[in-house]
């Protein structure tokens, strides 16, 4: 039972990471109608800048402080130079261009930082276990990730439902021409939305730094999961992104954790391990298929 | 320079026909992608041996041609074809990954080409698929797991939890471990290839209460696992073991203190006490400003082995059989100390357990003990040659 609870926490933590990534991606996709494959690159930039600053100053917080504007500024620069030309083009052109951006950023990090993965440590004040229940110790750092992620979700909800900016962004998603005609600078709004999305990706990246290897191409592995999340959640919906992310995190983690045990009960063969491994890595895609059959536009479609 | 010119001139006068054309060596290796540092180290180790002889190996002028296979079997095949057809290369080497080796090696060794492996040595090429034109200078893939299996049994761990990615090499490496480990298996988990988060596996592992953990997770996967394992507070209670692949100096830098004290299996370490090794470690650091890795030592050994064979045939490759016989003699000073070839032309060598230590602000491995002496791989008996 304790193990199940711990695995749920693990799933929640993975889900939160995915939420930070997919919140930005779903905004860009839903509002600007751009498929941005390069979203993982901003995650990578956040991690690299964070790791570099944290190791040279010795302060993890300074690492975060540096990573966020780095990711956001790179994002806005990319929007200004590349994506702005793609809004009225075909999705295929967008995929091609942003795929090129992935390669560009992967090579760029290799040129600047070299091929060797960077080292980033958990800050000492979070490098201990927290006794949640008797017999259940959970790393403080992962709890902090969960906390930050939930705070971001709250902040986004407030931003979108309570502020004027949020209202303009939502309106822009429904009909950009009308919003522009009402005197809102939609171009600037797009740049800001893109900057916000990449800022969140950078935050996810820098928080993943102490847990993962900070290396060139690290964004691609999380990008695929992120796309699954926004398809499940409904494209353009922050609420959907949160629900989808936690669902995907849970299914992936619990599948990896308990399928092998489950298979050993039913099959006594040595193949049980391999079958369970294959099936648990398929789990989230099966989930996606089932949800799309049930709700073709995702759990919380944005413009219903 | 002038001195070399004089020597070169002397050589030219002594063997006027042969010395004119340098012997071409084709290196197909992985220089791009995340794993590019492996090929880089192999190439640098190889080049060091050539530089130490001022452009020669075994007194014979050589021309090393290096191409990047991008870790793609298809590309590796194309490069090898080009080396053989266009450049008339007869000595090939350098492949890092087993899947690239499986695409290239069986094809090239059917021609008049000798392939010397600097790293990848899949079981298929060591057993039934062995070939007289194929030599592995590094090891047979399973060797570095076998040594850990034997050591873990000797230390007295009664149950071990196993972890590897879900692809053929992952299963091979775990099989290598189990071949010499005689305790219980507390669990055997195959993870997704390229997985980054291991929280679920680590929690399950803790609940299984094994006495030790053995993992084969190359590249970034190993970095992720080691960091998360240490963050979960398990490294104090359940020791981790693995083959040397996750513990080279470059990876250790990214893992940081989380890897300290972890024991791993290898055929080489920077502190092996023999003159060839001392000289190599020093020269490598001087030339490239970093500690040599396992891969660099393999590149260096391969170059010097080729040198010893070229010397024996005076750089004449027209009689390839004579060259092969000279390679098989392995008459060179290996940085590993003992080195000879078995019947399947894979190394018969000593295998060690090393421990990760911190040194001069960085991390490296120190030798703990020799586990196998003159170890022969498990597939040698299947090879009919």
């Amino acid at each position: 039972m304790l193990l199940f609870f711990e695995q749920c926490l693990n799933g929640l933590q993975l889900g939160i990471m995915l939420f930070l990534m997919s919140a930005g991606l779903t905004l860009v996709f839903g509002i600007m109608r751009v498929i941005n494959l390069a979203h993982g690159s901003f995650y990578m930039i956040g991690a690299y800048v964070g790791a570099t600053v944290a190791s040279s100053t010795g302060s993890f917080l300074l690492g975060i402080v540096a990573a966020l504007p780095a990711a956001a500024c790179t994002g806005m620069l990319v929007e200004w130079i590349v994506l702005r030309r793609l809004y009225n083009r075909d999705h295929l052109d967008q995929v091609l261009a942003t795929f090129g951006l992935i390669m560009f950023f992967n090579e760029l990090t290799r040129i600047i930082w070299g091929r060797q993965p960077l080292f980033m440590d958990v800050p000492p004040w979070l490098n201990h276990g927290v006794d949640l229940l008797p017999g259940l110790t959970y790393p403080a750092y992962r709890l902090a990730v969960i906390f930050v992620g939930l705070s971001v979700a709250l902040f986004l909800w407030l931003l979108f439902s309570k502020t004027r900016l949020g209202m303009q962004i939502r309106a822009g998603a429904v009909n950009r021409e009308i919003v522009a005609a009402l005197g809102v600078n939609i171009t600037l709004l797009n740049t800001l939305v893109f900057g916000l999305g990449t800022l969140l990706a950078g935050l996810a990246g820098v928080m993943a730094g102490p847990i993962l290897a900070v290396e060139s191409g690290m964004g691609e592995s999380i990008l695929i999961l992120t796309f699954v999340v926004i398809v499940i959640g409904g494209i353009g919906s922050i609420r959907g992104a949160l629900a989808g992310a936690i669902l995907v995190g849970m299914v992936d983690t619990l599948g990896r954790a308990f399928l092998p045990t489950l298979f050993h009960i039913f099959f006594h063969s040595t193949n049980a391990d391999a079958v369970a491994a294959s099936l648990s890595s398929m789990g989230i895609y099966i989930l996606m298929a089932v949800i799309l059959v049930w709700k073709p536009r995702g759990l919380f479609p944005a413009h219903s | 320079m002038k001195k070399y010119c004089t020597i070169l001139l002397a050589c030219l006068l002594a063997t006027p026909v042969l010395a004119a054309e340098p012997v071409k060596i084709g290196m197909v290796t992985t220089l791009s992608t995340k794993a590019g540092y492996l090929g880089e180290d192999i190439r640098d180790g190889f080049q060091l041996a050539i530089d130490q002889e001022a452009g020669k190996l075994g007194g014979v002028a050589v021309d090393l041609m290096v191409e990047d296979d991008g870790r793609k079997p298809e590309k590796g095949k194309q490069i090898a074809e080009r080396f053989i057809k266009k450049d008339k290369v007869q000595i090939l080497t350098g492949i890092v990954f087993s899947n690239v080796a499986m695409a290239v090696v069986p094809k090239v060794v059917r021609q008049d080409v000798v392939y010397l492996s600097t790293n990848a040595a899949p079981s298929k090429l060591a057993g039934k698929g062995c070939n007289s034109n194929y030599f592995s200078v590094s090891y047979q893939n399973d060797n570095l797991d076998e040594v850990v299996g034997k050591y873990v049994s000797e230390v007295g761990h009664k149950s071990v939890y196993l972890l590897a990615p879900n692809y053929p090499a992952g299963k091979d490496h775990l099989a290598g471990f189990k071949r010499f480990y005689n305790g219980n298996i507390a669990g055997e988990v195959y993870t997704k290839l390229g997985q980054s988060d291991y929280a679920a596996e680590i929690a399950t592992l803790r609940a299984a209460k094994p006495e030790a953990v053995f993992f084969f997770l190359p590249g970034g996967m190993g970095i992720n696992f080691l960091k998360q394992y240490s963050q979960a507070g398990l490294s104090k209670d359940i020791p981790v073991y693995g083959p040397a692949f996750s513990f080279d100096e470059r990876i250790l830098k990214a893992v940081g203190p989380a890897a300290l004290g972890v024991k791993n299996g290898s055929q080489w370490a920077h502190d092996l006490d023999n003159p060839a090794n001392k000289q190599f470690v020093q020269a490598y650091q001087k030339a490239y400003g970093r500690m040599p890795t396992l891969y660099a030592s393999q590149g260096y050994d391969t170059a010097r082995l080729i040198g010893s064979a070229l010397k024996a045939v005076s750089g004449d490759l027209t009689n390839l059989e004579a060259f092969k016989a000279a390679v098989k003699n392995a008459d060179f000073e290996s940085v590993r100390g003992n080195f000879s070839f078995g019947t399947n032309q894979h190394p018969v060598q000593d295998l060690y357990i090393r421990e990760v230590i911190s040194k001069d602000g960085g991390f490296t491995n120190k030798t703990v003990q020799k586990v196998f002496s003159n170890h022969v791989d498990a597939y040698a008996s299947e090879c009919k040659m």
Side-chain angles (χ1 to χ4, degrees):
Chain A
M1 196 56 218
L2 273 183
L3 180 64
F4 182 75
F5 186 65
E6 185 183 354
Q7 297 291 25
C8 286
L9 273 180
N10 286 334
L12 183 64
Q13 187 258 317
L14 179 62
I16 291 290
M17 278 308 224
L18 289 174
F19 167 67
L20 290 180
M21 283 295 287
S22 46
L25 192 64
T26 204
L27 279 179
V28 171
F29 204 176
I31 294 167
M32 295 145 82
R33 309 284 153 79
V34 172
I35 299 182
N36 178 21
L37 290 185
H39 201 62
S41 299
F42 303 106
Y43 170 83
M44 180 175 71
I45 289 169
Y48 264 97
V49 172
T52 311
V53 172
S55 68
S56 59
T57 62
S59 159
F60 179 74
L61 287 180
L62 276 182
I64 293 190
V65 168
L68 297 187
C73 292
T74 322
M76 289 193 277
L77 204 64
V78 164
E79 196 272 344
W80 184 53
I81 296 174
V82 184
L83 291 180
R84 198 167 276 187
R85 285 152 232 287
L86 296 171
Y87 291 146
N88 297 322
R89 303 276 286 268
D90 191 36
H91 276 332
L92 201 60
D93 293 350
Q94 299 168 353
V95 166
L96 206 61
T98 52
F99 186 69
L101 282 175
I102 293 184
M103 293 180 178
F104 172 78
F105 281 115
N106 282 349
E107 279 312 314
L108 191 69
T109 52
R110 270 183 209 131
I111 291 168
I112 298 176
W113 283 282
R115 276 199 200 103
Q116 186 159 299
L118 294 190
F119 171 70
M120 190 176 184
D121 208 358
V122 172
W125 43 278
L126 283 174
N127 199 3
H128 56 85
V130 176
D131 293 309
L132 289 178
L133 290 168
L136 174 66
T137 315
Y138 200 71
Y141 185 75
R142 286 184 188 252
L143 285 177
V145 170
I146 295 176
F147 174 75
V148 170
L150 292 178
S151 315
V152 168
L154 186 68
F155 163 77
L156 287 179
W157 177 73
L158 288 175
L159 177 72
F160 281 94
S161 56
K162 304 283 176 200
T163 68
R164 193 173 179 82
L165 181 68
M167 202 172 67
Q168 289 175 346
I169 293 173
R170 276 184 298 147
V174 178
N175 194 325
R176 38 192 301 166
E177 282 80 16
I178 298 286
V179 174
L182 288 173
V184 177
N185 187 344
I186 196 90
T187 327
L188 181 68
L189 203 62
N190 278 343
T191 313
L192 283 179
V193 169
F194 200 80
L196 177 66
T198 51
L199 180 105
L200 293 177
L203 177 64
V206 68
M207 285 203 306
I211 304 178
L212 307 181
V214 178
E215 57 187 355
S216 166
M218 66 187 284
E220 276 88 284
S221 54
I222 195 165
L223 184 76
I224 300 170
L225 285 179
T226 309
F227 270 104
V228 173
V229 165
I230 65 168
V231 170
I232 286 179
I235 289 161
S237 151
I238 295 279
R239 222 159 26 127
L242 183 62
I246 291 174
L247 203 59
V248 167
M250 287 290 180
V251 168
D252 189 54
T253 305
L254 296 182
R256 280 189 285 141
F258 296 111
L259 270 186
T261 332
L262 206 66
F263 271 64
H264 272 286
I265 299 171
F266 294 118
F267 307 103
H268 291 280
S269 73
T270 47
N271 288 333
D273 291 316
V275 175
S278 314
L279 204 65
S280 63
S281 49
M282 282 192 288
I284 53 163
Y285 303 104
I286 297 173
L287 172 78
M288 180 169 78
V290 169
I291 286 183
L292 287 186
V293 168
W294 173 48
K295 284 197 158 183
R297 300 188 57 200
L299 291 174
F300 299 97
H303 325 290
S304 53
Chain B
M1 199 59 224
K2 203 169 178 184
K3 199 172 78 189
Y4 295 131
C5 288
T6 326
I7 299 171
L8 195 72
L9 200 68
C11 291
L12 280 170
L13 291 172
T15 49
V17 191
L18 294 173
E21 188 88 341
V23 171
K24 285 179 180 163
I25 300 173
M27 180 177 273
V28 187
T29 196
T30 306
L31 295 170
S32 57
T33 76
K34 287 186 275 193
Y37 79 93
L38 303 176
E40 213 170 75
D41 277 14
I42 288 174
R43 179 197 64 196
D44 289 352
F46 202 100
Q47 187 66 46
L48 178 67
I50 299 177
D51 290 346
Q52 284 180 334
E53 280 196 65
K56 293 181 181 181
L57 283 176
V60 177
V62 293
D63 178 10
L64 178 69
M65 295 180 286
V66 186
E67 288 276 345
D68 172 30
D69 62 26
R71 212 179 165 170
K72 293 190 183 82
E74 272 312 305
K75 203 166 166 203
K77 219 153 80 179
Q78 286 166 9
I79 297 167
E81 287 292 309
R82 196 167 68 232
F83 275 152
I84 296 169
K85 295 239 164 71
K86 187 165 154 267
D87 301 310
K88 310 279 178 229
V89 170
Q90 285 190 287
I91 304 174
L92 281 175
T93 182
I95 296 176
V96 177
F97 290 99
S98 292
N99 58 339
V100 183
M102 283 312 293
V104 173
V105 173
K107 233 179 147 182
V108 298
V109 293
R110 267 184 255 139
Q111 307 164 50
D112 272 344
V113 171
V114 176
Y115 180 83
L116 296 105
S117 177
T118 47
N119 193 54
S123 54
K124 275 184 190 140
L125 297 175
K128 289 197 182 77
C130 67
N131 189 296
S132 70
N133 286 353
Y134 171 71
F135 294 86
S136 170
V137 190
S138 47
Y139 38 63
Q140 196 284 312
N141 278 357
D142 303 2
N143 285 165
L144 303 194
D145 311 284
E146 291 168 349
V147 56
V148 181
K150 172 100 168 162
Y151 180 77
V152 167
S153 305
E154 278 175 4
V155 170
H157 292 305
K158 290 191 183 57
S159 62
V160 172
Y161 199 87
L162 308 176
L163 239 108
N166 193 18
Y167 75 129
K171 281 161 203 165
D172 283 355
H173 282 278
L174 292 194
F177 175 85
K178 286 191 273 187
R179 195 171 294 134
F180 284 87
Y181 170 69
N182 49 29
N184 288 323
I185 307 285
E188 188 171 341
V189 170
Y190 293 101
T191 60
K192 202 160 53 184
L193 191 60
Q195 186 168 320
S196 46
D197 188 71
Y198 290 92
E201 285 77 7
I202 290 170
T204 317
L205 182 162
R206 177 172 20 205
K209 295 192 172 60
E211 287 185 15
V213 174
F214 175 81
F215 77 99
F216 166 74
L217 296 165
M221 291 185 281
I223 302 176
N224 298 340
F225 176 75
L226 281 168
K227 277 170 107 172
Q228 292 167 24
Y229 190 81
S230 147
Q231 282 162 16
L234 282 176
S235 31
K236 280 165 261 129
D237 309 328
I238 311 170
V240 184
Y241 298 89
F245 312 114
S246 292
F247 302 95
D248 67 57
E249 281 69 11
R250 298 234 203 165
I251 283 194
L252 286 177
K253 212 171 165 186
V255 179
L260 273 179
V262 176
K263 298 204 170 97
N264 59 92
S266 177
Q267 85 281 19
W268 176 84
H270 79 276
D271 61 353
L272 286 186
D273 194 13
N274 66 63
N277 194 37
K278 281 197 182 122
Q279 171 275 119
F280 161 68
V281 174
Q282 219 170 26
Y284 191 91
Q285 275 179 301
K286 189 158 171 265
Y288 304 108
R290 56 174 198 264
M291 282 291 277
T293 59
L294 182 70
Y295 312 103
S297 83
Q298 289 163 186
Y300 186 74
D301 261 359
T302 308
R304 301 240 295 186
L305 170 68
I306 292 174
S308 73
L310 285 177
K311 191 175 180 184
V313 298
S314 319
D316 180 10
L317 290 180
T318 43
N319 182 357
L320 207 60
E321 291 305 316
F323 176 73
K324 275 153 57 184
V327 170
K328 198 160 181 184
N329 267 340
D331 183 20
F332 75 111
E333 299 274 309
S334 166
V335 294
R336 297 167 230 178
N338 275 347
F339 186 97
S340 61
F341 280 115
T343 47
N344 59 345
Q345 305 191 152
H346 280 60
V348 175
Q349 59 185 343
D350 302 343
L351 296 168
Y352 303 88
I353 285 290
R354 315 184 300 182
E355 185 183 337
V356 179
I357 54 161
S358 71
K359 192 189 170 199
D360 310 333
F363 299 93
T364 186
N365 291 281
K366 76 166 198 270
T367 310
V368 175
Q369 70 176 82
K370 189 192 281 185
V371 176
F372 283 117
S373 289
N374 294 322
H375 182 66
V376 181
D377 66 88
Y379 307 95
S381 55
E382 289 170 27
C383 168
K384 306 269 180 296
M385 193 147 58

